[in-house]
Amino acid sequence: MSQTVDRALSILPLLAQGPADLGQVAERLGVHKSTALRLLRTLHEHGLVYRQQDQRYRLGARLFALAQEAVENLDVREIAHPHLAELNENCGHTVHLAVYEASEVLYIDKVESRYPVRMYSRIGKPVAITVAAVAKLLLADLPEPERRAVAEKLDYPMYTFRSTPGAGAFLKELAAVREQGWATDLGGHEESINCVGAPIRGADGRVVAAMSVSAPNVVVTAEELLTLLPLVRRTADTISREYSGTTRPKKV
């Protein structure tokens, strides 16, 4: 990366802290005011910074527009899939990715288990929202009033004796999931299937998707599956960093 481009980009995080005048920018960059002015003018021409009437500079509206456009065009499935496939390669079990849309939690990606016993879940199919680990992660991130309103509107079918029995129990579990940062479904939907999951977060810290690893008891016990939780969480964190753009690019 050229020194000029590096210096110009260094101005943006400075102005993110608040407006700054020419002298402050020059001092922060360690350059002469004439150099700082040239860089600011270039950024101003592209709408990335704006000069106020008091001659101080702030971030420009074009920068926010570009950021919003980038967020809108992010495809969490495309970003996540290589990491889901790697996780599947490491553990051998079924890996899911899900999002919350229009009051439903939907699977948007799936990597099949290497074992002969397969799950019936399908991409595009809603999950059992009151028991699935991915659903708990997505709903736990909702603001408290919305979380409560959603929980009180749901039906609570007893798929198994471990299913969530009602809104009170569900809200209590969502609070625990929100606090601990991970979730499980240990036989809540199907007695023979267990699942552990972790959230994928955007740049603002909000949960944009959730991923999980699932396996039947005939392959691994619930206790054995829970030992994979650190790996699942590391994978989710890696996807979160890449999705939110906080992964530092390699220097070229």
Side-chain angles (χ1 to χ4, degrees), residues 65 146 189 195 206 217 229 250:
E146 184 178 355
H189 188 216
C195 177
R206 297 297 304 275
N217 288 329
L229 182 58
K250 295 181 180 179

Side-chain angles (χ1 to χ4, degrees), residues 164-177:
T164 309
F170 193 45
L171 286 168
K172 184 177 181 180
E173 185 165 9
L174 293 183
V177 168

